[in-house]
Amino acid sequence: MNEIICPHCSRAFKIDEAGYADILKQVRDSDFEHQLHERLELAERDKRSAVELARAQLSAELQKQSAEREAEIQKLKAQLEAGEVSRQLAVAQALSDVEKQRDALASELDKARQETQTVRQLAEAQRTAELQLTAASKDSEIQGLKARLAALELSRKLAITEALSGVEKQRDELQASLAQVRLEKQLAEQSLKDRYEVQIKDRDEAIERLRDMKARLSTKMVGETLEQHCETEFNRIRATAFPLAYFEKDNDASTGSKGDYIFRDTDESGTEIVSIMFEMKNENDATATKKRNEDFLKELDKDRTEKGCEYAVLVSLLEPESELYNTGIVDVFHRYPKMYVVRPQFFIPMITLLRNAAMNAVKYKTELALVKAQNIDITSFESELEGFKTAFAKNYDLASRRFQTAIDEIDKSIDHLQKTKDALLGADRNLRLANDKAQDVTIKKLTKGNPTMAAKFAELKDPGSSATD
């Protein structure tokens, strides 16, 4: 904004750049025309003054020269009259002498008359020549004055022409600059207008192409197209912006559900900077039942928690007429922690935003990791001690219960062994009886009443008699 102070009321007005430039242009044009008009009038007045001065000087010179020439003419006339008087006196004297000597000088008189006539003619010729010479001289001076006046007039005209040429040149340059600025402004406006018209036309054509493409695709293909778009956009800048990042499809459905993509980024030491669970949602314009972004937030939060991601982002083309989601990035923290809904064009900016915000926490995570590394032995010892105490208590309780069971089993075993003992003792008695009976068994008793066996045992006792027979 520019401030202008009124020269009459001294009140300040604030106008924008365009209005200020317009007023400044008007003031410059008006001031230029006014100055040019004043300079032209001043040059015209100087020209008239110079002409009048030259005319006055020339008139004075001419009057002076005319007076001088008149004085010279009067002088010549006086000289001529004086010569005539002298001549007349000489003639009278000659006539007097002639009259005195008329007879003797009659011939000389005629001669004298002829000489006088000759002298008169010569005097008149001389006077005429002198007058002509004087007139020629005056005419030459007059021509010289006229030539000087013409030269002065020409010099004045040249000076005026040069001054006017400089002013006109400056004016032409300013007008040319103004015309060029106006032309450049018109060209810039036209170029801007053409560019915006082309952009609007391209956008309309892109919208029509997208609508046609959506109309031709199935719901599954539409969703896959959005996923491919996001994956392509990420891969284009992966090497430069996210060289250590992991961005792959979530193929782990062991928990019963899975998201679309998981993004994880770490620093050079391996400390995780940020992790994001992505879900891409789109649908065909011709779908009868329109889905809402709200329908997918609960499942996305569940996937984020199960996969251990810090943030959850829904990349969505659903609800295309919603002014809320068309702002580009919408946080839904009031429903689910660390969750955003974004349009596809904000997919990369969303990753960048979350990553840059998380970079501030990397230092603290690194320090925490260092402290954990330094205290790992104490932590492990405490954990192992607690684990040992827990395991010991558990094992003690189990051993105590099993010991009692073992005592009971031992008692049962004692009873069983006692019974077994009694049974064994009874078996021992039977064995002694059997042994006694076995000791009492003889061949004689065995073969008694069995002549065949008696004969066999007899043969065994006397093998020689059997061979003789």
Side-chain angles (χ1 to χ4, degrees):
M1 298 297 288
N2 295 275
E3 187 174 275
I4 297 178
I5 299 176
C6 178
H8 300 289
C9 62
S10 300
R11 184 178 178 182
F13 298 91
K14 289 185 177 181
I15 60 175
D16 57 10
E17 294 294 336
Y20 182 78
D22 187 49
I23 292 176
L24 183 61
K25 174 180 175 299
Q26 294 178 6
V27 172
R28 287 179 175 174
D29 292 344
S30 177
D31 184 63
F32 174 75
E33 294 293 337
H34 180 68
Q35 291 181 2
L36 178 60
H37 184 68
E38 287 185 349
R39 291 186 180 181
L40 290 176
E41 289 183 350
L42 181 61
E44 187 65 25
R45 288 198 299 269
D46 291 342
K47 175 183 176 182
R48 289 197 297 268
S49 299
V51 171
E52 293 295 333
L53 179 61
R55 288 179 178 176
Q57 291 178 352
L58 179 60
S59 178
E61 289 290 334
L62 290 176
Q63 290 178 358
K64 181 179 179 182
Q65 292 176 5
S66 178
E68 290 177 355
R69 186 175 62 178
E70 186 65 26
E72 290 179 358
I73 292 172
Q74 293 297 330
K75 183 178 180 181
L76 291 174
K77 286 182 178 180
Q79 290 177 357
L80 184 59
E81 290 178 354
E84 183 67 21
V85 170
S86 297
R87 185 184 61 79
Q88 290 178 358
L89 289 174
V91 171
Q93 184 67 34
L95 287 174
S96 176
D97 292 337
V98 169
E99 288 177 352
K100 292 177 179 179
Q101 298 176 358
R102 183 175 46 191
D103 295 336
L105 298 175
S107 58
E108 291 180 4
L109 181 56
D110 293 333
K111 185 178 180 180
R113 287 178 179 176
Q114 292 178 356
E115 290 178 357
T116 300
Q117 186 67 28
T118 303
V119 171
R120 181 184 296 175
Q121 291 178 353
L122 290 174
E124 290 179 357
Q126 182 179 2
R127 185 184 66 180
T128 302
E130 290 178 355
L131 288 174
Q132 291 177 352
L133 181 61
T134 302
S137 177
K138 297 304 179 182
D139 292 338
S140 177
E141 290 180 2
I142 291 172
Q143 293 297 328
L145 289 174
K146 288 183 178 179
R148 287 175 57 192
L149 180 59
L152 182 61
E153 181 68 17
L154 180 60
S155 176
R156 190 62 182 174
K157 288 181 178 179
L158 290 175
I160 294 172
T161 303
E162 185 177 358
L164 288 175
S165 176
V167 173
E168 290 175 352
K169 182 179 180 181
Q170 185 179 4
R171 181 194 63 189
D172 294 340
E173 290 177 354
L174 291 175
Q175 290 179 349
S177 300
L178 181 60
Q180 184 177 2
V181 170
R182 288 176 177 173
L183 180 59
E184 290 177 354
K185 181 181 178 182
Q186 291 177 356
L187 292 176
E189 291 177 351
Q190 185 64 33
S191 176
L192 186 62
K193 181 179 179 182
D194 294 341
R195 185 173 62 186
Y196 283 149
E197 288 179 352
V198 170
Q199 290 179 354
I200 291 173
K201 182 179 178 181
D202 292 341
R203 184 192 64 183
D204 293 339
E205 291 178 353
I207 291 173
E208 291 299 326
R209 287 197 301 271
L210 288 175
R211 287 178 177 174
D212 293 340
M213 182 182 67
K214 286 183 178 180
R216 292 192 300 268
L217 294 176
S218 65
T219 303
K220 182 175 184 298
M221 283 301 296
V222 170
E224 290 180 353
T225 301
L226 180 58
E227 292 179 8
Q228 292 172 1
H229 166 75
C230 294
E231 185 174 359
T232 302
E233 288 297 311
F234 182 83
N235 289 332
R236 283 197 308 107
I237 63 171
R238 179 196 290 268
T240 56
F242 307 102
L244 302 178
Y246 168 89
F247 181 75
E248 301 293 341
K249 287 185 69 66
D250 181 16
N251 296 319
D252 183 10
S254 59
T255 59
S257 65
K258 63 184 183 68
D260 287 334
Y261 283 87
I262 294 178
F263 171 86
R264 297 184 188 275
D265 196 8
T266 60
D267 59 10
E268 295 180 354
S269 63
T271 303
E272 184 175 286
I273 300 173
V274 65
S275 58
I276 308 171
M277 170 64 71
F278 280 101
E279 184 77 15
M280 287 74 172
K281 289 300 176 183
N282 192 3
E283 66 181 0
N284 198 323
D285 290 339
T287 304
T289 303
K290 299 296 182 180
K291 297 291 186 178
R292 299 185 307 121
N293 293 317
E294 185 74 18
D295 300 335
F296 303 96
L297 300 183
K298 182 178 180 180
E299 188 70 19
L300 178 59
D301 183 66
K302 178 183 176 183
D303 294 336
R304 176 186 71 85
T305 304
E306 291 178 349
K307 301 304 170 60
C309 294
E310 184 178 1
Y311 293 94
V313 177
L314 175 63
V315 183
S316 172
L317 282 173
L318 305 180
E319 302 182 56
E321 304 300 329
S322 173
E323 294 184 1
L324 173 63
Y325 295 114
N326 286 339
T327 57
I329 299 177
V330 179
D331 68 80
V332 288
F333 290 4
H334 61 286
R335 297 296 308 278
Y336 301 97
K338 295 187 176 182
M339 183 176 292
Y340 294 89
V341 179
V342 303
R343 292 305 191 199
Q345 60 267 31
F346 291 94
F347 168 67
I348 295 299
M350 189 73 242
I351 296 178
T352 305
L353 180 65
L354 294 179
R355 180 179 180 273
N356 292 340
M359 286 294 291
N360 297 327
V362 171
K363 179 180 179 181
Y364 303 105
K365 289 184 179 180
T366 304
E367 293 178 355
L368 180 60
L370 180 62
V371 171
K372 287 182 178 180
Q374 293 174 350
N375 299 330
I376 186 74
D377 295 336
I378 297 175
T379 304
S380 299
F381 176 76
E382 291 178 350
S383 299
E384 291 177 1
L385 180 60
E386 290 297 327
F388 173 76
K389 289 167 67 178
T390 302
F392 182 82
K394 181 179 179 181
N395 292 335
Y396 174 80
D397 180 67
L398 182 61
S400 178
R401 286 187 279 110
R402 290 186 177 181
F403 182 78
Q404 186 63 41
T405 302
I407 294 297
D408 295 341
E409 292 295 329
I410 289 173
D411 291 339
K412 292 179 180 179
S413 297
I414 290 174
D415 293 340
H416 180 69
L417 289 174
Q418 186 64 42
K419 294 177 179 179
T420 304
K421 178 181 177 182
D422 294 339
L424 289 174
L425 290 174
D428 182 63
R429 287 194 299 271
N430 292 323
L431 286 173
R432 283 199 303 270
L433 292 174
N435 184 52
D436 291 342
K437 292 179 178 180
Q439 292 296 329
D440 190 43
V441 174
T442 61
I443 296 174
K444 186 176 180 180
K445 289 181 178 181
L446 290 174
T447 59
K448 183 179 178 180
N450 191 346
T452 302
M453 292 301 297
K456 292 294 182 181
F457 278 108
E459 290 178 359
L460 291 173
K461 288 181 179 181
D462 192 7
S465 64
S466 176
T468 301
D469 293 339

